[in-house]
Amino acid sequence: GPKVLQIPSHQIIDMGQMVTLNCDPVSNHLYFYWYKQILGQQMEFLVNFYNGKVMEKSKLFKDQFSVERPDGSYFTLKIQPTALEDSAVYFCASSLAFGTNQAPLFGEGTRLSVL
Amino acid sequence: GQQVKQSSPSLTVQEGGISILNCDYENDMFDYFAWYKKYPDNSPTLLISVRSNVDKREDGRLTVFLNKSGKHFSLHITASQPEDTAVYLCAAGGAKLTFGGGTRLTVRP
């Protein structure tokens, strides 16, 4: 079936550096999401994105975070600069429709370790 | 505070029995309720979902019950099997989903 791919599965980076997490969503999906899960805690919504724009973001989506999907390629989450508390697994998701019409399909996550 | 809560972090059931997983939510504007299954190092996979205009939905061995007045929904898995062993995440919301902390289900042979 269709899959959301996240590359790489694990990324290690020094605090203060920039990191870009890549997500290859399902090809005909239009809505994109990032979720963050700190070890031992709940998976939490960061942001959703449609038609080149952020639709909604949570308090966890700090000013250092940005998302984009240039020219229909990867949907990316950029963190610049990174902080220790950014260490977590980041899940990307996509859906064909918004809200209650279709639940998002998730990728397997990228584990980000900030040292 | 946690808007979606799974009060039982773990549940053990004998093979063939019924697994009942519970989820409570706070926001009465939520109108979509879902259960995901997650293996370690794998993505959450949607199992079953309902909208707020339905109080029950069945799909094979899975049934979701929604109690809107009680802000509670549950997942019942009948004839539980060892391969049902996983973490089950409930999620509720509208334009975005808010997840619970998960319940680790273990089905013993």
Side-chain angles (χ1 to χ4, degrees), chain B residues 12-13 18 26 44 78-79 92:
Chain B
T12 301
V13 170
I18 299 178
E26 293 180 359
T78 57

Side-chain angles (χ1 to χ4, degrees), chain A residues 20-84:
Chain A
T20 301
L21 306 182
N22 295 306
C23 172
D24 188 7
V26 176
S27 60
N28 61 339
H29 283 186
L30 302 173
Y31 299 89
F32 311 105
Y33 314 79
W34 283 103
Y35 282 77
K36 176 183 179 181
Q37 185 173 28
I38 294 173
L39 186 64
Q41 296 184 22
Q42 295 176 214
M43 196 161 68
E44 301 208 65
F45 171 81
L46 280 177
V47 65
N48 53 21
F49 187 87
Y50 168 71
N51 198 25
K53 294 178 195 165
V54 169
M55 303 293 289
E56 187 178 358
K57 58 186 179 182
S58 73
K59 291 178 192 173
L60 294 179
F61 194 79
K62 305 181 297 185
D63 291 342
Q64 296 89 329
F65 287 28
S66 62
V67 290
E68 62 175 356
R69 191 179 186 223
D71 303 321
S73 59
Y74 286 152
F75 175 52
T76 62
L77 172 66
K78 185 187 290 186
I79 309 173
Q80 181 177 26
T82 50
L84 293 177

Side-chain angles (χ1 to χ4, degrees), chain A residues 33 35 37 41-45 48 56 58 91 98-109 111, chain B residues 2 4-5 31-32 34 36 38 41-44 46 49 51 89 93-101:
Chain A
Y33 314 79
Y35 282 77
Q37 185 173 28
Q41 296 184 22
Q42 295 176 214
M43 196 161 68
E44 301 208 65
F45 171 81
N48 53 21
E56 187 178 358
S58 73
F91 290 96
F98 207 45
T100 60
N101 291 315
Q102 188 187 61
L105 196 65
F106 282 84
E108 295 193 355
R111 183 178 300 277
Chain B
Q2 293 177 359
V4 178
K5 208 179 287 188
D31 58 0
Y32 182 80
Y36 284 76
K38 189 175 183 312
D41 298 329
N42 277 101
S43 54
L46 178 68
S49 61
R51 296 193 200 182
L89 301 170
K96 68 173 200 253
L97 288 179
T98 300
F99 283 83

Side-chain angles (χ1 to χ4, degrees), chain B:
Chain B
Q2 293 177 359
Q3 289 207 52
V4 178
K5 208 179 287 188
Q6 294 177 252
S7 53
S8 298
S10 63
L11 173 69
T12 301
V13 170
Q14 206 63 33
E15 184 176 3
I18 299 178
S19 302
I20 300 177
L21 301 153
N22 294 300
C23 189
D24 296 294
Y25 63 95
E26 293 180 359
N27 189 338
D28 53 16
M29 298 297 291
F30 285 165
D31 58 0
Y32 182 80
F33 307 91
W35 284 95
Y36 284 76
K37 183 177 182 180
K38 189 175 183 312
Y39 295 110
D41 298 329
N42 277 101
S43 54
T45 304
L46 178 68
L47 286 177
I48 189 169
S49 61
V50 292
R51 296 193 200 182
S52 58
N53 58 346
V54 168
D55 56 15
K56 178 183 170 182
R57 184 179 169 205
E58 281 185 61
D59 184 1
R61 294 189 295 117
L62 307 177
T63 305
V64 179
F65 294 93
L66 174 61
N67 175 355
K68 284 210 76 181
S69 60
K71 295 184 194 174
H72 176 87
F73 62 110
S74 61
L75 173 67
H76 291 215
I77 307 174
T78 57
S80 299
Q81 300 163 6
E83 46 267 38
D84 295 329
T85 295
V87 173
Y88 288 78
L89 301 170
C90 67
K96 68 173 200 253
L97 288 179
T98 300
F99 283 83
T103 297
R104 182 177 302 277
L105 172 66
T106 303
V107 180
R108 288 211 175 124

